[in-house]
Amino acid sequence: MSRINWKRVRPNSLVEALRLCKAYAQEKKNLSVERIADRMGVSHDSLYKWLGTGRIPANLIPSFEHTCGAHFASDWLSASAGRMPIPVPTGRGVQPADMVELNSGFAQALQLLTDFYAAPGKADPTATLDALHAHLQQVAYHQANVSTYATPELEF
Protein backbone atom coordinates (compact mmCIF):
# COMPACT_ATOMS: atom_id res chain seq x y z
CA MET A 1 0.00 0.00 0.00
CA SER A 2 1.40 3.40 -0.98
CA ARG A 3 1.69 6.25 1.50
CA ILE A 4 -0.79 9.09 1.28
CA ASN A 5 0.47 12.58 0.45
CA TRP A 6 -1.62 14.38 3.09
CA LYS A 7 -1.05 17.84 1.60
CA ARG A 8 -2.64 16.90 -1.73
CA VAL A 9 -5.50 14.61 -0.73
CA ARG A 10 -9.01 16.04 -1.17
CA PRO A 11 -12.12 14.18 0.03
CA ASN A 12 -15.14 13.72 -2.23
CA SER A 13 -17.73 13.26 0.54
CA LEU A 14 -18.16 13.86 4.24
CA VAL A 15 -17.77 10.15 4.97
CA GLU A 16 -14.47 10.11 3.08
CA ALA A 17 -13.36 13.27 4.89
CA LEU A 18 -14.07 11.72 8.30
CA ARG A 19 -12.25 8.53 7.32
CA LEU A 20 -9.27 10.54 6.09
CA CYS A 21 -9.12 12.32 9.45
CA LYS A 22 -9.17 8.94 11.18
CA ALA A 23 -6.48 7.54 8.87
CA TYR A 24 -4.33 10.64 9.48
CA ALA A 25 -4.67 10.19 13.25
CA GLN A 26 -3.75 6.52 12.93
CA GLU A 27 -0.70 7.19 10.77
CA LYS A 28 0.67 10.38 12.31
CA LYS A 29 -0.46 10.16 15.95
CA ASN A 30 -0.89 6.40 16.34
CA LEU A 31 -4.47 6.83 17.58
CA SER A 32 -7.07 4.10 17.31
CA VAL A 33 -10.77 4.84 16.94
CA GLU A 34 -11.25 3.99 20.62
CA ARG A 35 -8.55 6.49 21.66
CA ILE A 36 -10.01 9.19 19.38
CA ALA A 37 -13.47 8.61 20.89
CA ASP A 38 -12.03 8.69 24.41
CA ARG A 39 -10.31 12.03 23.78
CA MET A 40 -13.53 13.43 22.29
CA GLY A 41 -15.59 12.23 25.26
CA VAL A 42 -17.91 10.00 23.24
CA SER A 43 -18.34 6.25 22.99
CA HIS A 44 -16.40 4.40 20.33
CA ASP A 45 -19.65 2.83 19.10
CA SER A 46 -21.01 6.31 18.28
CA LEU A 47 -17.79 7.28 16.52
CA TYR A 48 -17.85 4.11 14.42
CA LYS A 49 -21.45 4.90 13.46
CA TRP A 50 -20.55 8.48 12.47
CA LEU A 51 -17.58 7.29 10.43
CA GLY A 52 -19.85 4.85 8.59
CA THR A 53 -22.74 7.22 7.90
CA GLY A 54 -21.19 10.71 8.02
CA ARG A 55 -23.92 11.90 10.35
CA ILE A 56 -21.63 13.35 13.01
CA PRO A 57 -23.14 16.21 15.03
CA ALA A 58 -21.80 19.52 13.77
CA ASN A 59 -20.68 20.65 17.22
CA LEU A 60 -18.38 17.60 17.47
CA ILE A 61 -16.55 18.18 14.18
CA PRO A 62 -14.02 20.66 15.68
CA SER A 63 -13.16 18.33 18.57
CA PHE A 64 -12.87 15.36 16.19
CA GLU A 65 -10.53 17.29 13.90
CA HIS A 66 -8.51 18.65 16.80
CA THR A 67 -8.08 15.14 18.19
CA CYS A 68 -7.09 13.74 14.79
CA GLY A 69 -4.87 16.67 13.86
CA ALA A 70 -6.41 17.08 10.39
CA HIS A 71 -9.18 19.30 8.99
CA PHE A 72 -10.54 17.31 6.08
CA ALA A 73 -14.18 17.49 7.26
CA SER A 74 -14.19 21.30 7.65
CA ASP A 75 -12.39 21.69 4.33
CA TRP A 76 -14.93 19.45 2.59
CA LEU A 77 -17.87 21.29 4.18
CA SER A 78 -16.59 24.67 3.04
CA ALA A 79 -15.69 23.38 -0.43
CA SER A 80 -19.13 21.79 -0.83
CA ALA A 81 -20.65 25.20 -0.07
CA GLY A 82 -18.63 26.76 -2.88
CA ARG A 83 -16.01 28.33 -0.60
CA MET A 84 -12.23 27.91 -0.75
CA PRO A 85 -10.66 26.85 2.53
CA ILE A 86 -7.30 28.56 3.05
CA PRO A 87 -5.37 28.08 6.30
CA VAL A 88 -4.85 31.26 8.32
CA PRO A 89 -1.24 32.39 7.98
CA THR A 90 1.00 32.26 11.04
CA GLY A 91 2.65 35.60 10.33
CA ARG A 92 6.42 35.46 10.17
CA GLY A 93 8.94 37.95 8.87
CA VAL A 94 9.20 38.34 5.11
CA GLN A 95 12.46 37.59 3.36
CA PRO A 96 13.35 38.71 -0.19
CA ALA A 97 13.11 35.05 -1.25
CA ASP A 98 9.44 35.07 -0.19
CA MET A 99 8.67 37.85 -2.65
CA VAL A 100 10.46 35.99 -5.44
CA GLU A 101 8.52 32.84 -4.54
CA LEU A 102 5.25 34.81 -4.62
CA ASN A 103 6.07 36.19 -8.06
CA SER A 104 7.18 32.84 -9.50
CA GLY A 105 4.14 31.09 -8.00
CA PHE A 106 1.86 33.66 -9.60
CA ALA A 107 3.64 33.32 -12.95
CA GLN A 108 3.30 29.53 -12.83
CA ALA A 109 -0.37 29.70 -11.87
CA LEU A 110 -1.06 32.27 -14.58
CA GLN A 111 0.71 30.14 -17.22
CA LEU A 112 -1.25 27.01 -16.22
CA LEU A 113 -4.50 28.98 -16.19
CA THR A 114 -3.77 30.43 -19.65
CA ASP A 115 -3.00 26.95 -20.97
CA PHE A 116 -6.19 25.62 -19.40
CA TYR A 117 -8.40 28.22 -21.08
CA ALA A 118 -6.55 27.92 -24.38
CA ALA A 119 -7.06 24.14 -24.60
CA PRO A 120 -9.34 22.86 -21.80
CA GLY A 121 -9.09 19.24 -22.89
CA LYS A 122 -5.30 19.18 -23.06
CA ALA A 123 -4.41 21.02 -19.83
CA ASP A 124 -4.20 19.25 -16.48
CA PRO A 125 -6.96 20.69 -14.25
CA THR A 126 -5.47 19.18 -11.09
CA ALA A 127 -2.12 20.89 -11.60
CA THR A 128 -3.90 24.16 -12.40
CA LEU A 129 -6.03 23.95 -9.25
CA ASP A 130 -3.01 23.11 -7.10
CA ALA A 131 -1.03 26.05 -8.48
CA LEU A 132 -3.95 28.46 -7.97
CA HIS A 133 -4.54 27.18 -4.43
CA ALA A 134 -0.85 27.55 -3.55
CA HIS A 135 -0.80 31.10 -4.92
CA LEU A 136 -3.93 32.08 -2.99
CA GLN A 137 -2.35 30.74 0.21
CA GLN A 138 0.75 32.85 -0.39
CA VAL A 139 -1.35 35.95 -1.04
CA ALA A 140 -3.44 35.27 2.10
CA TYR A 141 -0.23 35.10 4.13
CA HIS A 142 0.89 38.52 2.90
CA GLN A 143 -2.63 39.94 3.33
CA ALA A 144 -2.59 38.85 7.00
CA ASN A 145 0.84 40.41 7.54
CA VAL A 146 -0.27 43.74 6.05
CA SER A 147 -3.58 43.77 7.95
CA THR A 148 -1.84 43.21 11.30
CA TYR A 149 0.65 46.01 10.62
CA ALA A 150 -1.74 48.64 12.00
CA THR A 151 -2.14 46.72 15.28
CA PRO A 152 1.15 44.91 15.92
CA GLU A 153 1.25 41.95 18.26
CA LEU A 154 3.58 41.68 21.20
CA GLU A 155 6.64 39.52 20.66
CA PHE A 156 7.33 37.04 23.45
Side-chain angles (χ1 to χ4, degrees):
M1 186 168 138
S2 64
R3 294 180 55 97
I4 298 174
N5 183 354
W6 294 107
K7 290 185 179 184
R8 294 202 177 268
V9 67
R10 301 280 184 258
N12 293 321
S13 67
L14 183 58
V15 173
E16 184 181 359
L18 295 173
R19 290 180 181 169
L20 283 171
C21 287
K22 176 191 66 91
Y24 183 88
Q26 287 176 333
E27 182 178 317
K28 298 292 184 180
K29 293 184 162 189
N30 198 26
L31 294 176
S32 64
V33 174
E34 288 79 11
R35 289 175 63 194
I36 294 170
D38 183 50
R39 291 183 181 186
M40 288 177 59
V42 298
S43 69
H44 67 277
D45 295 328
S46 297
L47 187 56
Y48 274 118
K49 181 177 73 171
W50 297 331
L51 290 172
T53 63
R55 295 182 59 138
I56 186 171
N59 62 340
L60 291 178
I61 291 174
S63 65
F64 175 68
E65 290 181 332
H66 177 73
T67 302
C68 293
H71 299 280
F72 296 114
S74 296
D75 289 349
W76 181 83
L77 287 169
S78 61
S80 68
R83 306 290 187 247
M84 180 178 288
I86 296 176
V88 175
T90 56
R92 57 174 170 73
V94 177
Q95 305 297 323
D98 294 333
M99 300 310 291
V100 172
E101 183 181 341
L102 177 68
N103 189 22
S104 62
F106 177 67
Q108 178 190 10
L110 187 61
Q111 182 62 47
L112 288 170
L113 191 61
T114 303
D115 293 345
F116 177 79
Y117 285 126
K122 296 179 183 176
D124 182 18
T126 306
T128 306
L129 284 174
D130 288 343
L132 288 171
H133 190 74
H135 177 65
L136 288 174
Q137 283 181 332
Q138 290 173 335
V139 170
Y141 160 73
H142 291 290
Q143 186 267 341
N145 271 352
V146 172
S147 67
T148 59
Y149 182 76
T151 56
E153 299 173 354
L154 296 175
E155 293 185 20
F156 293 102

